[in-house]
Amino acid sequence: MQVVVDRLVAALGQLILGKEREIRLALCCVLARGHLLLEDLPGMGKTTLAQGLATLLGLDYQRVQFTSDMLPADLLGVSVFEQQREFVFHPGPVFTQVLLADEINRGSPRTQSALLEAMAERQVSIDRQTRLLPAPFFVIATQNPQDQAGTYPLPESQLDRFLMCLSLGYPGRETEKRMLLQTARPALHAQLAAGELLQMQAAVAQVRVANAALDYLLDLVETSRTPGLVPNALSPRASQALMAAAQAWAYMAGRDHVLPDDIQEVFGAVAEHRMRHQTQSGGRRHQLSQSLLGRVDPLR
């Protein structure tokens, strides 16, 4: 499957120039059955990445633009009393395989929280009924920096539901020059057949994690719980997310077992948004995770 992964990365790399590592991490998040938070300034390619990923994976896709006056029903759906004298449920955009929650932190906390059950349980509860969401179900949310006008910070409980948080950042000078000289956006087509992504996700879950790799992972998590070391220590859910992401990264490299290097590669994307305060600037994004990685010896 490494050939398939490389093909997906190369195809998306034609659309998002100069960001191969971020593309690989986004694909890793999908394979690990997680949800992805993209945090950056407007105009950095967050929405383009989400749209391109959904197209390449051959998944149904819906985009919701979060605003301050958006209601939970606008996302989940609503029951309408129709002519046959009964209530008929009209599903909202959450009933899709890939949901792009664009500028999620411009929505009110009440609307943001409407996503929690969907992200955690792959289902929503409406009108005393539980309705299952399609499989696979993947949320890609974008958010603007917290110091911009009209934003609401995401609560820690919701941040914890995102397996990864990425920032695309500014492109290099030559990359931006290539971007400006492009005459048309490359056309993307589905690279996976129906059900193939589910098979890949199932294979990721079978990647072996030896005791040595698992002990290294737990050392990192336990070190984060040292009083005063980081603003927010890593929870058991973070441990599960870190292991799933490391399995996916190993799978993408064509291996059937996890190495300490796999854990290191995904650690920042999985752990940083869980450990830092929401008020911290994006410029400090990797400082906490790099500090932890420097404190723990993978070979002990």
Side-chain angles (χ1 to χ4, degrees):
M1 281 299 177
Q2 187 177 2
V3 175
V4 177
V5 170
D6 291 341
R7 188 171 72 240
L8 290 168
V9 172
L12 196 50
Q14 297 176 18
L15 193 64
I16 309 294
L17 302 179
K19 299 295 178 181
E20 180 179 342
R21 174 170 173 76
E22 288 77 9
I23 291 172
R24 286 189 175 274
L25 284 169
L27 184 57
C28 174
C29 187
V30 176
L31 292 175
R33 292 191 174 99
H35 305 293
L36 177 63
L37 179 63
L38 299 174
E39 183 182 49
D40 220 324
L41 294 168
M44 303 296 280
K46 303 185 297 294
T47 303
T48 303
L49 174 61
Q51 292 172 335
L53 197 58
T55 300
L56 286 174
L57 297 177
L59 301 176
D60 295 335
Y61 167 84
Q62 292 277 358
R63 174 182 175 179
V64 179
Q65 184 70 42
F66 277 62
T67 59
S68 59
D69 59 350
M70 182 180 175
L71 299 175
D74 297 329
L75 178 67
L76 304 181
V78 64
S79 294
V80 178
F81 192 74
E82 298 193 343
Q83 291 181 351
Q84 58 267 42
R85 296 184 179 277
E86 63 180 15
F87 283 95
V88 177
F89 178 67
H90 293 254
V94 74
F95 287 87
T96 187
Q97 292 176 311
V98 177
L99 175 69
L100 172 58
D102 211 7
E103 295 186 308
I104 187 174
N105 60 336
R106 292 198 181 278
S108 67
R110 181 182 176 191
T111 303
Q112 291 175 7
S113 66
L115 265 181
L116 273 177
E117 183 183 9
M119 293 174 64
E121 307 294 338
R122 267 71 174 180
Q123 66 182 32
V124 294
S125 299
I126 305 172
D127 297 335
R128 302 181 183 177
Q129 292 187 20
T130 298
R131 302 177 186 273
L132 297 179
L133 297 172
F137 175 71
F138 179 50
V139 173
I140 305 178
T142 72
Q143 74 167 349
N144 296 330
Q146 295 298 325
D147 56 357
Q148 293 203 341
T151 60
Y152 299 84
L154 298 181
E156 283 75 9
S157 59
Q158 187 165 2
L159 280 173
D160 202 32
R161 261 63 177 193
F162 288 101
L163 188 140
M164 288 186 181
C165 178
L166 301 178
S167 174
L168 294 177
Y170 292 110
R173 181 182 176 89
E174 290 302 316
T175 299
E176 193 162 5
K177 186 176 181 179
R178 288 170 53 203
M179 188 186 311
L180 293 173
L181 292 175
Q182 278 186 337
T183 56
R185 176 178 292 186
L188 299 183
H189 305 283
Q191 300 284 330
L192 298 184
E196 193 171 357
L197 176 59
L198 290 174
Q199 295 174 5
M200 294 172 71
Q201 289 176 331
V204 164
Q206 300 303 313
V207 173
R208 293 184 293 107
V209 185
N211 279 337
L214 192 58
D215 286 339
Y216 176 53
L217 185 154
L218 291 173
D219 286 344
L220 288 169
V221 172
E222 289 180 355
T223 302
S224 78
R225 297 169 185 170
T226 304
L229 186 59
V230 297
N232 298 306
L234 295 175
S235 68
R237 184 185 288 125
S239 303
Q240 294 173 329
L242 186 55
M243 187 175 81
Q247 287 175 299
W249 194 264
Y251 174 83
M252 291 171 61
R255 282 183 277 102
D256 64 352
H257 60 281
V258 170
L259 299 176
D261 288 352
D262 301 318
I263 298 172
Q264 293 173 351
E265 289 289 345
V266 300
F267 185 73
V270 173
E272 192 78 29
H273 65 289
R274 292 176 163 91
M275 294 190 297
R276 63 184 170 90
H277 284 312
Q278 278 288 284
T279 54
Q280 288 179 322
S281 65
R284 299 189 68 243
R285 173 177 299 279
H286 300 298
Q287 291 185 15
L288 295 176
S289 57
Q290 290 303 313
S291 174
L292 273 182
L293 289 172
R295 285 174 173 266
V296 179
D297 183 2
L299 302 178
R300 78 165 182 84

